[in-house]
Structure formats: structure tokens, C-alpha cells
Amino acid sequence: MSKYYDEARSFGEKYLAPFAREADQKGAFPREAIQALRENGYFGLVIPEAYGGQGQDIGAHAEVCTALAEWDASASLCYMMSNVGAYCLSLYAGEKLKQEILPKVASGEAILALAYSETGNGTHFYLPEMEEVTEDGYSILNGRKSFVTTAREADYYLTISRNVEDGSTNLWVVPSNTEGLSFESNYDGVGLRGNVSDPMVLKDAKIDHFYRIQGNGDGDRLIFLVGLASSSAGIAMAIAREATRYVKERTYSNGRSLGEIETVETNLAELYARAYAARETLFAAAYNVQSGAEDGFQNVNAARIVTTSAAVKNGSQGMRLVGGIGYVRGKNPMERLMRDSLGAQVMAPGYDVLRVWLGRQLVGLPYLKGID
């Protein structure tokens, strides 16, 4: 673990934590938190130095996203999605497209979002139903993406479509001012309510081939999976922190605190041990990928499975420790954290899809497969 985790954790406590409750209660985009991240250079983390960024890789991405998620998982997710988009552009975009977008993101002038998931294919977002028709120098895109984190708030949206002529898939960078781009307002999530994941619609959207990204591989999937795992790892750590704080402060009329009860102490130990193991598993997997290890992808899948499970289990156990006050909205952070902990199970690729992927990798089969 490097300096990035400690610095981002202190930053999150100061600039994200004060706005987390309000964003959750209103289901509103965490504007103040994202603005602070913009102004302090965080959006340039994984962008190469040649384009004004910090030139960091997946390891630092995991540390920063985890640390931020310990204070506001919604803001961390919005930030993470932009990092994934920037990393994808850095790996696969043409030079002119990189020069057009990456310096803006690195400076905080612009942020990116991902528009991959669709209702018809569930968590199999690599099998898009959004269609593209190729014309001379541009393509026409039509389709609907179901959950788009940072909807309306991003400056560019990375999306994936299927070419109607040859069945190939392409990534596109869709500017926010594109004619034919619109959003539906129906996101009212149980948790992670600040990420405003509304559906995005492209209707006869004309996209210049300048914004097309061809030849993408696994790099963007890896940093994406690491980012999702970071959210769960941060939530798991936050639950352990908040449960510890509460049982130390909560006292009976005789002056004895909950923290002096052995059953409470053993439950706290489980919370922290589970969160710590999940976080360190994630960091190890992220740096494993960064080093170019052959088993990096399967280790990232394993880390996402472990962190998702840790967050869900900690959410339930943390609620039991806090008791009834934790079940009342707005009285204790535990109810928000418990709700936030549940989201990773269904965020594409979902928990069960990940287990299928990992199982296939372990027996040497292609992990991507059509919907049966």
C-alpha cells in the first residue's frame, strides 16, 4: 500500500464525508464532493503524464477509490467510472482523440462516464443491443443503456454498440451535447443513491468516427472490476469503523459501554478482519495485474467476489451491532452503509456472473460467453 490510500482517506473525510448523508437522502449527485476531486487533481490519476495526468496505474486506482468509498461510496463510484473511461482512452483511443479529451479530464475541466449496461442483456454488457449503422465518416447509433452512473453530469459517455452490417462491437465516446442523446429519470436506488444511474437513450445519434475506439481488449475491464471491488472494500471498512465508533460511545445507565461486552467485541473483530482481508486481497490483485502477472485477471475476479461478499456480510452484522437506532433513516450512518453494501451484487458484471467467469478461467475456458 502506497501513500495514495492514506492521502485519499484523509481527503475523503474532509471533502466527501460532509455531503454523503444529504446526497443519499435526496438521491442527488454529490456535486460538492466531485468538485473537490476536480479541483485537487484526482481525475488525472491514471492519465499519462504526456496528457497532463499523474501517470499512475491500477494499483493507485484501487487505493484511491477504496479510500474515498470509506466516506462516500456514491462519489467514489462516479469518480471511479471516469478513471475507467480515461484508462480506456489511454490504452485504445487514437492519438488525436487522446489529445482532445485526456488533458481536459486531467485538469478537472471534464469528466467521463460509462454507458454499457442494457436491460435486454442484463449484466452481459459485452453483448450490446445498441445498434450502429456505418455511414461515410460517421455512424448512426440507436439504443438504450439502462444504468449510467453520473447521468447528465459527465461531459463524455463511453458506450458500446453492435454494428448491424458485420456484428462487430465498437466503443464510442459520446459528447454530452450530441443531438439525439437524452436521459430518462427513474433511478431511485435502495443504496448508492448519489450516483444518479439513470438510463441513457441514443436516438439517431450521429457520431463522427473521430470518436470511435477500435481494438479494445481486457484493460478497461480490469480497471473497471478493480473499481467496483474498491467500492465494496471501502464500504466494508466504513462499516467496521462506524460500528466501532458506536459501541464505544453507546453506554448503559450504569456507565458501561457496549464495547465492554465480549460478544460485541468478537463481532467487531469479525467486521474488521473481514474488511481488512477484502481490502488487502483487492490491493494485492490490483498490483498483481499492474505487474503483468498471467493470473492477474482471475485474481481481480476473485477480489471482486471477496469484496462483494465482505461488504454484504458486514452490512448485516454491522446493523446487528448498532441495533434499532441503526435501522432508522438518518439517525446513524449504518443504515446508509448497509443499503450501499448491497449494490455490488447486482452491478454488472454481477456476483454470479463473476463466479462463472472465474470458474471458466480456472479450467482454461474463455470467460466471455453468450447468454444461454
Side-chain angles (χ1 to χ4, degrees):
M1 191 160 60
S2 71
K3 64 176 182 177
Y4 289 99
Y5 175 79
D6 291 333
E7 291 178 353
R9 194 173 185 278
S10 296
F11 182 90
E13 183 176 14
K14 183 176 181 179
Y15 292 104
L16 272 63
F19 308 107
R21 178 182 174 183
E22 181 179 3
D24 172 73
Q25 291 179 335
K26 294 182 178 179
F29 182 70
R31 198 171 312 281
E32 295 88 351
I34 296 301
Q35 184 61 31
L37 290 165
R38 286 178 184 256
E39 292 174 355
N40 287 273
Y42 274 88
F43 282 96
L45 181 70
V46 298
I47 294 176
E49 294 179 358
Y51 305 99
Q54 300 175 37
Q56 296 304 309
D57 211 313
I58 292 179
H61 170 73
E63 292 192 28
V64 171
C65 291
T66 299
L68 297 177
E70 291 186 29
W71 301 106
D72 184 353
S74 287
S76 179
L77 273 174
C78 295
Y79 166 72
M80 179 275 287
M81 296 293 184
S82 187
N83 273 4
V84 174
Y87 196 78
C88 180
L89 287 171
S90 299
L91 288 177
Y92 307 120
E95 183 60 31
K96 290 184 179 180
L97 184 57
K98 292 180 185 179
Q99 292 177 0
E100 170 70 21
I101 297 177
L102 290 180
K104 296 178 183 177
V105 178
S107 69
E109 176 186 347
I111 59 176
L112 303 166
L114 306 182
Y116 288 175
S117 61
E118 296 179 354
T119 303
N121 59 22
T123 62
H124 300 271
F125 55 79
Y126 49 89
L127 299 171
E129 293 185 348
M130 176 173 279
E131 295 183 342
E132 65 179 65
V133 177
T134 304
E135 302 290 350
D136 185 17
Y138 64 92
S139 289
I140 302 295
L141 271 62
N142 280 284
R144 178 182 183 272
K145 300 297 180 176
S146 52
F147 291 98
V148 180
T149 296
T150 321
R152 298 181 189 81
E153 302 293 339
D155 301 280
Y156 300 95
Y157 298 87
L158 271 71
T159 195
I160 184 170
S161 63
R162 176 178 57 84
N163 187 285
V164 297
E165 285 92 7
D166 60 17
S168 62
T169 58
N170 285 304
L171 278 174
W172 296 85
V173 179
V174 181
S176 60
N177 61 355
T178 298
E179 187 174 351
L181 166 65
S182 64
F183 294 93
E184 299 174 1
S185 297
N186 66 0
Y187 183 74
D188 187 14
V190 172
L192 301 170
R193 291 171 49 76
N195 66 23
V196 291
S197 292
D198 288 332
M200 183 183 89
V201 177
L202 291 178
K203 183 175 176 58
D204 296 328
K206 180 180 177 180
I207 313 295
D208 193 285
H209 286 165
F210 174 78
Y211 291 105
R212 183 171 60 186
I213 303 174
Q214 296 176 300
N216 62 298
D218 285 332
D220 55 329
R221 294 190 183 102
L222 287 167
I223 193 171
F224 178 60
L225 291 171
V226 165
L228 291 178
S230 298
S231 174
S232 294
I235 292 169
M237 290 298 295
I239 290 170
R241 180 195 70 232
E242 288 302 323
T244 300
R245 180 191 61 79
Y246 179 78
V247 302
K248 288 168 65 178
E249 295 176 356
R250 171 70 166 85
T251 58
Y252 292 105
S253 56
N254 63 5
R256 189 185 186 197
S257 74
L258 285 179
E260 297 176 62
I261 299 174
E262 186 172 308
T263 302
V264 171
E265 293 163 354
T266 58
N267 275 272
L268 279 179
E270 287 183 357
L271 285 179
Y272 181 79
R274 187 182 295 123
Y276 177 80
R279 186 190 71 186
E280 296 305 306
T281 297
L282 167 64
F283 290 172
Y287 282 104
N288 187 237
V289 166
Q290 188 169 309
S291 71
E294 290 185 6
D295 58 355
F297 201 163
Q298 68 186 44
N299 290 340
V300 166
N301 279 331
R304 171 121 200 266
I305 291 168
V306 167
T307 55
T308 298
S309 178
V312 172
K313 289 179 179 178
N314 272 18
S316 176
Q317 195 168 4
M319 178 62 71
R320 294 202 307 272
L321 278 176
V322 172
I325 196 67
Y327 203 63
V328 180
R329 284 188 181 272
K331 296 295 184 180
N332 184 284
M334 191 57 68
E335 63 91 15
R336 170 173 58 85
L337 292 171
M338 184 192 70
R339 289 186 284 105
D340 286 352
S341 74
L342 301 175
Q345 300 174 95
V346 295
M347 282 190 279
Y351 184 74
D352 292 308
V353 172
L354 286 165
R355 294 194 297 168
V356 172
W357 283 11
L358 179 56
R360 287 177 179 157
Q361 289 173 322
L362 293 174
V363 296
L365 294 175
Y367 71 95
L368 292 180
K369 185 179 178 182
I371 303 172
D372 296 326

